Amino acid sequence: MSGHRDGCRFLRSKSDLLVALFALTSDPSIAIVKDCYHIFINLSADETLHQVLLADVKVLPVLLKRVLDPEYLFSDQICTILSNLTRHLKTCKTVFQVLQEEVGLAQLVEVFCTEGYNKKANFNYLSPLLSNLTQLPEARNYIMDKDRCVIQRLLPFTQYQASAVRRGGVVGTLRNCCFDHAHHEWLLSDAVDILPFLLLPLAGPEELTEEENEGLPVDLQYLPEDKKREEDPDIRKMLLETLLLLTATRAGRNTLKEKNVYYIMREFHRWEKDVHVTAACEKLVEVLIGDEPEQGMENLLEVEIPEDVEVKLKEGCFLFSHRLHQGWILKRILLLTN
């Protein structure tokens, strides 16, 4: 029943049954517990059940406590449920609030970054959970707290070959963090050095000239002949979108130009076959080789959008990641009208 929308909607009105099912996640039978978690994964994928699960069944305190248990058998299933529950802003706020009250985001990051924390779980789905949580300014502020060294711990996972879920969630987290342009200079500085971690998955084995190589970050210079690019097109697209966000400010644009990012993008564009990823690459290249915006528009994320244009954008095809791309869509519209 939970695998179909109609079944989920029926169960939504049966909160007593859901409470009983959740109680069975403590059953001594592993088979029963496993089935119950699968039910709640399915239910949590339906947005209309989120409030029932949070308010009536009260799943969060129990799940958060269990996920920190290094011996718990079903931590990965819990991570999936938490990831589902944070996809939408309203419930994401509730999850973050309870998370901070019960265990704290610091604990989840520690679990995520500690290899072998639980030998029965891989915690890969903590990655999309972190990405979802960074919809919220308070979560982004925590991730980019200069005294905590959190974002630096996440950066190596952009090349974590064992799991595309983990790589994608971390890249999504970085993309959301880069929406806060006030942190761009810090992110690009030696204190974080985010640029190589975004570029390496996009770089290939192509030979560059000595001059082109010398301007690149050290980790991008003279890559081996067997260097492979990120295999997942969605992750490649997110990486490009993150780089594009970093060019929103003059300082960011100057850094990417000084670090010869264009040459990595040139070779990437020749290699890329996915039309959507290619389009994202071309947007970035336009900024890298284009003239500086006119005075008053240097920060492309602060450009005010005319009300009629904003209405058209919301009604059109720009709903996916609309918040991140709004400034860039406007820029292209302004270029056309000029």
Side-chain angles (χ1 to χ4, degrees):
M1 287 180 70
S2 68
H4 301 277
R5 173 172 292 187
D6 290 342
C8 284
R9 301 296 161 87
F10 172 79
L11 291 171
R12 182 178 62 188
S13 63
K14 309 294 181 185
S15 58
D16 290 347
L17 173 58
L18 296 181
V19 170
L21 280 171
F22 190 63
L24 284 175
T25 59
S26 299
D27 194 87
S29 166
I30 291 178
I32 288 176
V33 174
K34 182 177 180 180
D35 284 344
C36 285
Y37 273 118
H38 287 167
I39 291 169
F40 281 98
I41 288 173
N42 288 342
L43 295 176
S44 64
D46 189 323
E47 181 190 0
T48 66
L49 276 99
H50 285 185
Q51 286 303 314
V52 174
L53 295 176
L54 298 182
D56 297 340
V57 186
K58 296 180 173 58
V59 300
L60 285 180
V62 176
L63 295 182
L64 291 170
K65 182 179 179 181
R66 287 174 178 173
V67 81
L68 295 181
D69 181 352
E71 301 294 328
Y72 195 65
L73 189 60
F74 297 99
S75 291
D76 284 339
Q77 286 82 349
I78 291 175
C79 293
T80 306
I81 294 168
L82 294 173
S83 177
N84 283 344
L85 289 173
T86 52
R87 286 183 303 136
H88 300 281
L89 187 59
K90 184 177 180 180
T91 46
C92 185
K93 289 179 178 179
T94 303
V95 172
F96 184 73
Q97 181 180 349
V98 177
L99 169 64
Q100 292 295 72
E101 293 171 355
E102 296 289 334
V103 297
L105 188 54
Q107 285 272 45
L108 281 192
V109 172
E110 185 66 30
V111 170
F112 179 74
C113 295
T114 303
E115 186 175 355
Y117 179 88
N118 181 338
K119 291 180 171 54
K120 304 177 180 69
N122 56 50
F123 294 106
N124 289 332
Y125 274 90
L126 279 184
S127 193
L129 171 61
L130 291 173
S131 180
N132 292 344
L133 289 173
T134 52
Q135 295 178 74
L136 308 174
E138 51 267 46
R140 294 197 298 274
N141 289 338
Y142 172 84
I143 296 290
M144 293 188 286
D145 187 329
K146 295 178 182 179
D147 296 325
R148 293 183 183 273
C149 196
V150 176
I151 199 165
Q152 293 93 327
R153 297 184 70 186
L154 299 179
L155 291 175
F157 293 111
T158 62
Q159 299 175 84
Y160 186 79
Q161 293 304 309
S163 172
V165 170
R166 183 174 283 242
R167 292 198 309 276
V170 166
V171 172
T173 301
L174 299 179
R175 181 181 63 173
N176 286 347
C177 288
C178 286
F179 187 74
D180 290 342
H181 59 82
H183 295 280
H184 283 186
E185 288 192 55
W186 176 69
L187 290 171
L188 290 165
S189 72
D190 291 340
V192 180
D193 199 21
I194 193 174
L195 195 55
F197 295 95
L198 299 175
L199 286 176
L200 267 171
L202 301 174
E206 297 84 5
E207 285 190 30
L208 302 178
T209 67
E210 186 172 341
E211 182 180 355
E212 291 168 350
N213 263 303
E214 287 180 354
L216 289 168
V218 174
D219 292 341
L220 274 293
Q221 294 179 9
Y222 303 102
L223 295 175
E225 294 180 358
D226 60 351
K227 172 67 174 69
K228 297 185 184 300
R229 291 183 169 91
E230 168 59 54
E231 61 186 25
D232 188 307
D234 291 330
I235 297 178
R236 295 199 300 271
K237 186 169 180 285
M238 284 195 293
L239 287 162
L240 291 165
E241 290 166 351
T242 307
L243 290 166
L244 187 61
L245 285 166
L246 288 170
T247 64
T249 58
R250 184 187 295 274
R253 290 190 292 276
N254 289 341
T255 299
L256 267 66
K257 290 175 182 179
E258 290 168 2
K259 295 293 186 179
N260 282 359
V261 171
Y262 167 75
Y263 299 114
I264 298 294
M265 293 301 102
R266 181 190 66 192
E267 301 303 321
F268 177 83
H269 188 267
R270 290 171 178 169
W271 172 87
E272 183 59 65
K273 298 296 186 290
D274 186 287
V275 292
H276 302 293
V277 182
T278 298
C281 179
E282 289 170 355
K283 289 179 184 178
L284 176 59
V285 170
E286 282 178 14
V287 178
L288 294 176
I289 67 175
D291 297 330
E292 275 295 305
E294 62 188 62
Q295 188 173 1
M297 295 183 63
E298 291 92 345
N299 189 327
L300 301 175
L301 287 174
E302 289 186 334
V303 175
E304 291 188 11
I305 301 176
E307 187 175 343
D308 59 327
V309 174
E310 186 172 8
V311 170
K312 290 179 181 177
L313 291 176
K314 288 180 178 178
E315 291 176 348
C317 59
F318 303 111
L319 294 175
F320 178 75
S321 297
H322 171 64
R323 183 173 175 234
L324 288 176
H325 293 293
Q326 202 169 61
W328 304 108
I329 296 166
L330 175 65
K331 183 187 175 214
R332 296 179 67 81
I333 291 172
L334 290 175
L335 288 171
L336 289 171
T337 56
N338 288 339

